[in-house]
């Protein structure tokens, strides 16, 4: 009788934990960008954040959604991709508006110029949207043609999670170039690390496709490396490296 009563209590508790974990997966990934977004709006300066982070996350999550059509995985992971795409577009919109308002150069660049020297350094948010839609259309069509190939589907899944695992690399490189982490939200990186750790454990426990677990571990490693940069550049300040300024920002997980 007591066992039955205990099971009656544990059943709903397990369900609540499962719902909580699913909710954390869906929305947890966007939380780290909240402090970075607020910092950019407050300071009207986006130079500490790499917009290439947005590029990496957009590509990774578009590929993950396409992978879902070939091999269905858990719905929370699918919804996480959709929410992340929306979040990255909002980040891009803010960074573009701030950068253009601070730019002295009158020359405007657009996606239609097809100038590789200014790829992902365009002057209007609509240019980024055009690029994302073009990439989605091309990759979506290729996926449609090769959806019956298990090799293609598995490769697509690997590319999706591997691209996401490289998310921190643009910020890592930007910090190295600047010899500083100034302008980058440390809170954001701490949230990346905790979120990626939770996500990787979630992948392993829920037996997600093996690509997810492997690349999740790689992503945690990159996050920890960025935190080491924060420590090193604060304890041992270095002379900023001289490099040509580019009309753009750089990253955030």
């Amino acid at each position: 009788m007591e066992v039955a009563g205990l099971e009656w209590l544990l059943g709903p508790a397990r369900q609540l934990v499962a719902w909580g974990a699913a909710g954390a997966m869906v929305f947890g990934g966007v939380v780290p960008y909240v402090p970075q977004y607020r910092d950019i709006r407050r300071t009207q300066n986006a130079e500490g954040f790499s917009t290439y982070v947005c590029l990496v996350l957009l590509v990774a999550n578009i590929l993950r959604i396409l992978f879902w059509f070939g091999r269905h995985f858990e719905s929370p992971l699918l919804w996480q991709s959709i929410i992340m795409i929306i979040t990255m577009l909002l980040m891009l919109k803010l960074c573009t508006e701030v950068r253009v308002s601070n730019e002295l150069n009158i020359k405007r660049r657009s996606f239609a110029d097809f100038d590789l020297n200014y790829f992902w350094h365009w002057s209007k948010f609509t240019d980024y949207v055009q690029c994302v839609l073009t990439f989605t259309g091309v990759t979506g069509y290729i996926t449609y043609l090769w959806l019956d190939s298990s090799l293609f589907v598995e490769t697509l899944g690997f590319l999706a999670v591997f691209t996401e695992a490289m998310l921190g690399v643009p910020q890592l490189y930007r910090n190295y170039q600047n010899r500083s982490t100034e302008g980058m939200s440390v809170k954001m990186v701490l949230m990346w690390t905790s979120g990626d750790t939770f996500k990787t454990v979630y992948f392993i426990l829920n037996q997600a496709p093996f690509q997810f677990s492997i690349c999740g571990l790689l992503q945690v490693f990159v996050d920890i490396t960025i935190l080491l940069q924060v420590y090193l550049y604060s304890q041992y300040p270095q002379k900023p490296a001289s490099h040509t300024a580019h009309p753009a920002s750089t990253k955030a997980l």
Side-chain angles (χ1 to χ4, degrees):
M1 193 69 179
E2 291 181 4
V3 174
L6 186 61
E7 192 62 36
W8 182 82
L9 289 173
L10 288 177
R14 290 196 195 99
Q15 190 63 51
L16 285 174
V17 171
W19 287 344
M25 280 301 303
V26 173
F27 297 103
V30 306
V31 172
Y33 298 97
V34 174
Q36 185 70 71
Y37 187 92
R38 294 178 62 183
D39 286 348
I40 294 173
R41 288 203 66 173
R42 177 176 54 83
T43 63
Q44 288 298 294
N45 185 342
E47 289 305 310
F49 175 79
S50 171
T51 53
Y52 281 110
V53 171
C54 299
L55 173 61
V56 171
L57 277 176
L58 285 168
V59 170
N61 285 282
I62 289 170
L63 292 179
R64 186 195 285 184
I65 291 173
L66 294 176
F67 175 52
W68 182 85
F69 287 99
R71 181 178 174 185
H72 286 12
F73 46 79
E74 287 202 332
S75 296
L77 299 180
L78 177 64
W79 280 107
Q80 180 198 44
S81 292
I82 296 172
I83 298 297
M84 184 61 75
I85 288 172
I86 295 172
T87 302
M88 289 303 101
L89 290 175
L90 291 174
M91 288 293 297
L92 271 177
K93 186 174 186 299
L94 175 64
C95 290
T96 304
E97 291 173 350
V98 169
R99 176 169 51 80
V100 171
S101 66
N102 294 334
E103 238 177 27
L104 297 178
N105 185 7
I106 303 176
K107 180 69 175 177
R108 293 294 183 247
R109 304 289 178 178
S110 69
F111 172 67
D113 293 337
F114 298 111
D115 186 347
L116 292 179
N117 293 322
Y118 287 89
F119 176 78
W120 212 248
H121 298 303
W122 302 306
S123 303
K124 292 183 178 179
F125 172 65
T126 52
D127 293 305
Y128 293 93
V129 174
Q130 290 173 24
C131 179
V132 171
L133 290 176
T134 300
F135 175 78
T136 304
V138 172
T139 53
Y141 180 67
I142 294 173
T143 301
Y144 173 75
L145 293 177
W146 290 86
L147 201 57
D148 293 333
S149 169
S150 60
L151 177 61
F152 173 82
V153 171
E154 293 300 326
T155 301
L156 184 65
F158 175 77
L159 289 175
V161 291
F162 182 76
T163 303
E164 185 175 359
M166 293 294 101
L167 176 64
V169 173
Q171 189 68 55
L172 189 73
Y173 181 66
R174 187 178 187 85
N175 295 342
Y176 172 76
Q177 277 189 314
N178 295 339
R179 300 293 193 272
S180 169
T181 57
E182 184 179 354
M184 181 196 74
S185 173
V186 178
K187 290 180 182 178
M188 177 186 69
V189 182
L190 289 171
M191 289 180 183
W192 287 351
T193 308
S194 59
D196 290 337
T197 301
F198 170 81
K199 182 172 62 177
T200 303
V201 172
Y202 182 91
F203 290 157
I204 295 172
L205 294 180
N206 287 274
Q207 298 180 331
F210 76 96
Q211 301 101 318
F212 286 61
S213 301
I214 294 174
C215 293
L217 291 171
L218 179 59
Q219 199 166 356
V220 172
F221 173 77
V222 174
D223 294 342
I224 292 174
T225 305
I226 294 176
L227 288 175
L228 285 175
Q229 284 184 320
V230 174
Y231 172 77
L232 290 174
Y233 292 148
S234 63
Q235 295 296 316
Y236 309 100
Q238 302 181 42
K239 183 179 179 181
S242 59
H243 56 276
T244 305
H246 227 311
S249 310
T250 313
K251 152 174 180 174
L253 158 68

